[in-house]
Amino acid sequence: MGIDMDALQLKRQVNEMIAGGRYDDIKETLLSWKDTTEHDNELAMLCYLCTIYEQEKAAGQETLFSKVSDMEELLGRYTALKFYLRRIDFGVIDEIGMFFQFLSHNQVSSYELLRVMDFCVVHRERVLQVMNGGVQWEAAGAERTQEEIGGDSAVSGNNEICFIICTNNPVYAEECIYYIKRLNVPEGFRTEILTVEEAASLAAGYNEAMQCSQAKYKVYLHHDTFIVNPDFIKDCLDIFLGNPQIGMLGNVGVKNMPASGVMWDADRYGMLYEQHIYETELLSNAFDPALPYLEVDAIDGFLMVTQYDLPWREDLFDKWDFYDCSQSMEFIRQGYRVVVPNMKAPWCVHDCGFINLENYDTERQKYVAEYLGER
């Protein structure tokens, strides 16, 4: 082997192994280039899928790798199965029969099914009960067209909620929208959804979308954020309508930003289901239950909800980091409060995988220089 191998080269090698039936070589090769594998979500996921192959082979069954033509098909299969299981987990699947058709058509083994459940399911027993027919299934809500959401087509911008998704992955964006369309919409309100593709940066993409919508309330979210609280809109409005000084809320935030500018160097408050490559874990740091919300210095950008429009600092943050901490400080500069609601259960699943920190430190230094001298 050479001195180094980038992710594209390694993926080409894996595809050659799949095409040639050299399945036993896949995991060994990935582990031989551990640093490359660990810094690429697709390669890391493939490494964990090798455990399914090993179980199926040991049981004398047709293996996962033999059912696909290349790595792209394999990961597409995994993503589809993960999405189906999550929909069952949170009660938003429209038709359970579609899931069973998927299992049959793709010859999903029990080993594959249970292992993927290990990766992505929160309420395992609930999912197993539904699959085994122990729960009388009712879809949480049929998909509604934009005209049907909220009823009155003459609703003003003050009664509109715009969901803004900056995306480079149409599969994830479609799944994100699937959850949005199944949220309960309070009477007299309506929603709209805007997606931004090929944005120069998150701040630039959000500015573009913000200027395209007259909605008073805007929800900025990653395409890998899935809102699983059906009353999400009402819960946000309850905070905003009674508190005009609250400009923005998020599900996770830091009360006092540390001098480093790194949010996770201090306690983060809120609740979230966070899916990494091989597990879904609960992030939960509660605060005084008597408080309806906690005022914070910054919120995490996987989901940010505003009731006022302030420009995003695309002049300063031209990559994909610190746009959230910056926007939090911009609201605070204007005299608004930024808060994290006191949730009884997480409102979202963030299917984030590994975080790309390539430009993180450069953006962090910009944030520290611009804002932390004020606090």
Side-chain angles (χ1 to χ4, degrees):
M1 292 185 180
I3 296 174
D4 198 6
M5 183 181 295
D6 65 25
L8 286 177
Q9 291 174 314
L10 191 49
K11 289 173 185 178
R12 281 196 290 269
Q13 277 205 7
V14 168
N15 281 334
E16 291 171 3
M17 294 172 194
I18 292 175
R22 294 161 43 215
Y23 309 137
D24 288 338
D25 296 339
I26 294 175
K27 186 174 183 180
E28 180 181 351
T29 301
L30 293 173
L31 294 178
S32 295
W33 301 102
K34 187 176 179 182
D35 188 64
T36 302
T37 297
E38 288 182 342
H39 287 84
D40 183 276
N41 279 322
E42 293 183 342
L43 291 171
M45 190 65 250
L46 176 61
C47 197
Y48 282 98
L49 292 177
C50 286
T51 62
I52 298 171
Y53 163 75
E54 292 166 347
Q55 290 177 317
E56 291 172 330
K57 181 183 176 184
Q61 295 192 359
E62 184 181 3
T63 67
L64 172 65
F65 294 146
S66 68
K67 300 170 187 175
V68 298
S69 59
D70 57 22
M71 189 172 163
E72 182 179 1
E73 184 180 352
L74 175 66
L75 292 174
R77 171 196 181 101
Y78 162 72
T79 299
L81 179 55
K82 174 176 66 173
F83 284 174
Y84 271 122
L85 287 169
R86 184 178 294 134
R87 290 180 184 185
I88 295 171
D89 195 1
F90 291 98
V92 295
I93 194 166
D94 289 336
E95 174 52 60
I96 193 68
M98 295 171 57
F99 168 66
F100 291 115
Q101 289 174 13
F102 174 86
L103 297 181
S104 176
H105 177 75
N106 291 278
Q107 299 177 290
V108 176
S109 73
S110 59
Y111 298 99
E112 181 180 357
L113 178 61
L114 293 174
R115 190 70 175 122
V116 175
M117 285 179 62
D118 290 340
F119 296 152
C120 68
V121 162
V122 174
H123 311 99
R124 184 184 178 91
E125 291 306 314
R126 179 192 302 171
V127 173
L128 288 172
Q129 281 187 320
V130 172
M131 289 171 51
N132 292 327
V135 173
Q136 184 66 37
W137 188 257
E138 293 183 7
E143 185 169 334
R144 296 165 288 183
T145 66
Q146 179 56 49
E147 288 72 27
E148 292 170 326
I149 296 177
D152 185 1
S153 61
V155 172
S156 71
N158 283 343
N159 287 8
E160 284 189 288
I161 304 98
C162 180
F163 292 83
I164 295 171
I165 308 162
C166 206
T167 181
N168 61 358
N169 187 320
V171 174
Y172 268 79
E174 183 179 346
E175 188 70 3
C176 177
I177 292 169
Y178 179 94
Y179 282 80
I180 292 170
K181 288 186 174 182
R182 282 149 185 82
L183 298 176
N184 297 324
V185 181
E187 185 176 355
F189 285 82
R190 61 182 285 122
T191 67
E192 65 175 347
I193 300 170
L194 297 179
T195 59
V196 182
E197 300 176 12
E198 300 181 0
S201 67
L202 264 176
Y206 283 164
N207 269 333
E208 178 184 346
M210 182 182 73
Q211 293 160 10
C212 290
S213 173
Q214 298 301 311
K216 175 176 175 61
Y217 306 99
K218 294 182 175 68
V219 182
Y220 300 89
L221 70 166
H222 295 182
H223 63 215
D224 55 8
T225 297
F226 309 116
I227 302 173
V228 297
N229 170 16
D231 292 318
F232 169 82
I233 296 173
K234 177 184 181 300
D235 289 341
C236 291
L237 291 174
D238 284 347
I239 291 175
F240 284 139
L241 291 173
N243 301 275
Q245 285 304 114
I246 294 177
M248 183 165 63
L249 66 82
N251 279 192
V252 173
V254 59
K255 182 173 174 58
N256 297 299
M257 178 66 79
S260 65
V262 179
M263 188 184 299
W264 47 82
D265 281 351
D267 288 335
R268 293 187 299 160
Y269 293 90
M271 299 186 78
L272 171 69
Y273 291 122
E274 218 170 35
Q275 188 187 353
H276 303 292
I277 295 297
Y278 57 90
E279 64 178 350
T280 299
E281 62 180 1
L282 171 64
L283 187 159
S284 177
N285 193 4
F287 47 90
D288 187 343
L291 296 175
Y293 48 79
L294 179 72
E295 192 164 355
V296 295
D297 279 353
I299 55 174
D300 194 301
F302 68 88
L303 183 137
M304 308 173 74
V305 191
T306 67
Q307 69 166 327
Y308 305 109
D309 290 342
L310 293 181
W312 297 75
R313 292 294 303 275
E314 62 178 295
D315 60 311
L316 188 59
F317 298 95
D318 56 0
K319 299 292 190 300
W320 308 95
D321 302 293
F322 282 92
Y323 63 94
D324 46 3
C325 298
S326 165
Q327 191 69 350
S328 299
M329 187 57 71
E330 291 297 322
F331 270 88
I332 292 169
R333 279 178 166 178
Q334 296 300 317
Y336 295 116
R337 301 163 71 189
V338 178
V339 305
V340 171
N342 206 335
M343 294 165 279
K344 295 180 180 178
W347 291 1
C348 299
V349 175
H350 188 202
D351 189 350
C352 53
F354 292 137
I355 300 173
N356 184 344
L357 298 177
E358 181 180 356
N359 300 301
Y360 184 85
D361 195 56
T362 301
E363 301 300 280
R364 181 188 66 82
Q365 292 176 31
K366 294 179 186 178
Y367 173 79
V368 170
E370 176 70 17
Y371 297 110
L372 291 193
E374 301 176 6
R375 308 217 28 103

